[in-house]
Amino acid sequence: MALTDIWFLLIALLWTGYFVLDGFDFGVGMLLPLVGRTETDRRVAINTIGPVWDGNEVWLLVAGGATFAAFPEWYASLFSGFYLALLLILVALIVRGVAFEFRGKIDSDRWRRNWDRAIVAGSAVPALLWGVAFANIVAGVPLDAHHEFTGSLLTLLNPYALLGGLATLSLFALHGAVFLALKTSGDVRIRARALARNLGLATIVAGGGFLVWTFLAHTTSWTAAPVLVAAAALIGAVAMNGKGREGWAFLLTAGAILAVTVTLFGTLYPDVLPSSTDPANSLNTVNAASTPYTLTIMTWVAVVFTPIVLAYQAWTFWVFRRRIGSADIPAPTGLPAR
């Protein structure tokens, strides 16, 4: 296997890790007003992801950095063509991070409500736009002979891409609801389980429609397997949630995200950014790649540091593994409102 193929697989793995881990962060953020009827309940929900949300976003930074280093042509065309969409995602992630840090600084209901709205928006926008972006990557975008994007933001907002956005939005919301049910007790857990049950049908419809469209219009025959795995995992997750087996339900929603990502990257290969105007203008794992020397150095760096990162993140989840309830939330300590 060529180094270009290895790095394509590694980048797919990094995006999978990001979607699985930051996916439930997005879900918790989007569902915050629905599972948190009181301030204590909302703090319970936020504290489930408090120790891990910023670490989960490291996967995005590494995925972007790996793309830049391994496939600079892909990175250049992608980030220039998707500039506005990626800027919206970046702003949303910044707003969400600031909201997590600032909402408890002042003891005021109005202050906290405003930051809660920022958390919801900062979670929903990336959850939607990542699906839009990857659907466009799979379907192809207009590229000229110099691999430069010749479309506009409206080019990216086509029906297939919007369905992809709805699929990731609903899938991450379901993933977050199951995570909340797994990590909480009391009223928050009850509401999270009910939301997971209701979101399950919407996710199966939106995600199933997107995957079927992908398979019929853009994919190769072998990706039928991950499509079926994704469908089975979603149905199984809803069933396990109904039985109160949140651990299994969470593993199954994570498996569904894995299967969806495999479908998308499997459909894409060997291209990394197809051209919808002329196939000759498409970027693939060969013409978009760095030099063999660069890829060799990167491979050794990945071999050394990837196990360290995985071990650290596994340790973090292990340390903060127990459920959280209202009794674990101390009284607010923010500054008094003026």
Side-chain angles (χ1 to χ4, degrees), residues 81-86 88-89 125 128-137 139-142 149 151-166 213 276:
F82 291 44
Y83 180 80
L84 288 177
L86 294 173
L88 287 174
I89 292 174
V125 170
L128 175 71
L129 291 183
W130 281 130
V132 172
F134 271 86
N136 276 290
I137 292 172
V141 294
F149 181 77
S152 65
L153 179 63
L154 293 179
T155 305
L156 305 179
L157 301 179
N158 54 79
Y160 173 71
L162 291 175
L163 180 58
L166 289 177
W213 192 340
S276 59

Side-chain angles (χ1 to χ4, degrees), residues 18 42 46 190 207 209 297:
Y18 173 66
R42 288 188 288 273
I46 291 173
I190 293 171
I297 296 297

Side-chain angles (χ1 to χ4, degrees), residues 6-336:
I6 292 174
W7 274 98
F8 180 85
L9 291 174
L10 286 175
I11 289 172
L13 178 63
L14 290 170
W15 279 108
T16 302
Y18 173 66
F19 289 147
V20 169
L21 295 174
D22 221 20
F24 67 73
D25 291 347
F26 292 147
V28 172
M30 287 187 283
L31 300 177
L32 185 61
L34 300 178
V35 297
R37 305 286 176 80
T38 66
E39 170 58 17
T40 300
D41 287 347
R42 288 188 288 273
R43 290 177 65 193
V44 167
I46 291 173
N47 277 313
T48 62
I49 59 174
V52 298
W53 71 266
D54 47 355
N56 292 342
E57 289 189 351
V58 170
W59 288 78
L60 173 61
L61 299 177
V62 178
T67 303
F68 171 76
F71 299 102
E73 286 283 347
W74 184 15
Y75 182 93
S77 297
L78 183 65
F79 277 74
S80 61
F82 291 44
Y83 180 80
L84 288 177
L86 294 173
L87 178 63
L88 287 174
I89 292 174
L90 177 61
V91 170
L93 292 176
I94 292 172
V95 168
R96 186 180 68 133
V98 171
F100 283 140
E101 299 295 336
F102 274 35
R103 75 177 303 277
K105 299 301 183 183
I106 294 180
D107 190 11
S108 163
D109 289 339
R110 180 180 179 184
W111 173 270
R112 286 188 288 260
R113 280 197 303 271
N114 288 335
W115 286 117
D116 287 346
R117 294 188 185 102
I119 292 173
V120 173
S123 301
V125 170
L128 175 71
L129 291 183
W130 281 130
V132 172
F134 271 86
N136 276 290
I137 292 172
V138 169
V141 294
L143 297 176
D144 62 18
H146 301 288
H147 308 304
E148 294 181 0
F149 181 77
T150 58
S152 65
L153 179 63
L154 293 179
T155 305
L156 305 179
L157 301 179
N158 54 79
Y160 173 71
L162 291 175
L163 180 58
L166 289 177
T168 53
L169 184 75
S170 59
L171 180 55
F172 292 160
L174 173 62
H175 195 41
V178 172
F179 179 78
L180 279 171
L182 173 65
K183 289 287 292 179
T184 61
S185 59
D187 291 341
V188 176
R189 181 190 181 198
I190 293 171
R191 295 188 194 111
R193 286 185 60 191
L195 282 168
R197 181 175 62 250
N198 296 330
L199 286 166
L201 178 60
T203 305
I204 290 170
V205 171
F210 174 66
L211 288 177
V212 169
W213 192 340
T214 300
F215 179 74
L216 294 178
H218 305 294
T219 196
T220 53
S221 58
W222 75 266
T223 52
V227 169
L228 294 176
V229 169
L234 287 176
I235 294 171
V238 175
M240 289 296 103
N241 174 73
K243 295 179 179 179
R245 305 291 296 275
E246 293 96 346
W248 282 106
F250 181 74
L251 289 176
L252 286 167
T253 54
I257 294 173
L258 169 63
V260 170
T261 311
V262 169
T263 301
L264 295 178
F265 277 89
T267 300
L268 191 59
Y269 182 82
D271 289 332
V272 293
L273 189 61
S275 171
S276 59
T277 51
D278 185 350
N281 299 337
S282 297
L283 286 168
N284 54 49
T285 56
V286 176
N287 63 12
S290 292
T291 63
Y293 179 75
T294 300
L295 295 177
T296 300
I297 296 297
M298 289 176 58
T299 302
W300 282 110
V301 171
V303 168
V304 172
F305 287 101
T306 300
I308 297 174
V309 173
L310 291 175
Y312 168 75
Q313 195 140 35
W315 175 82
T316 303
F317 278 95
W318 175 257
V319 169
F320 298 101
R321 66 190 180 278
R322 75 178 186 87
R323 292 182 184 270
I324 301 173
S326 300
D328 300 303
I329 304 300
T333 57
L335 296 172

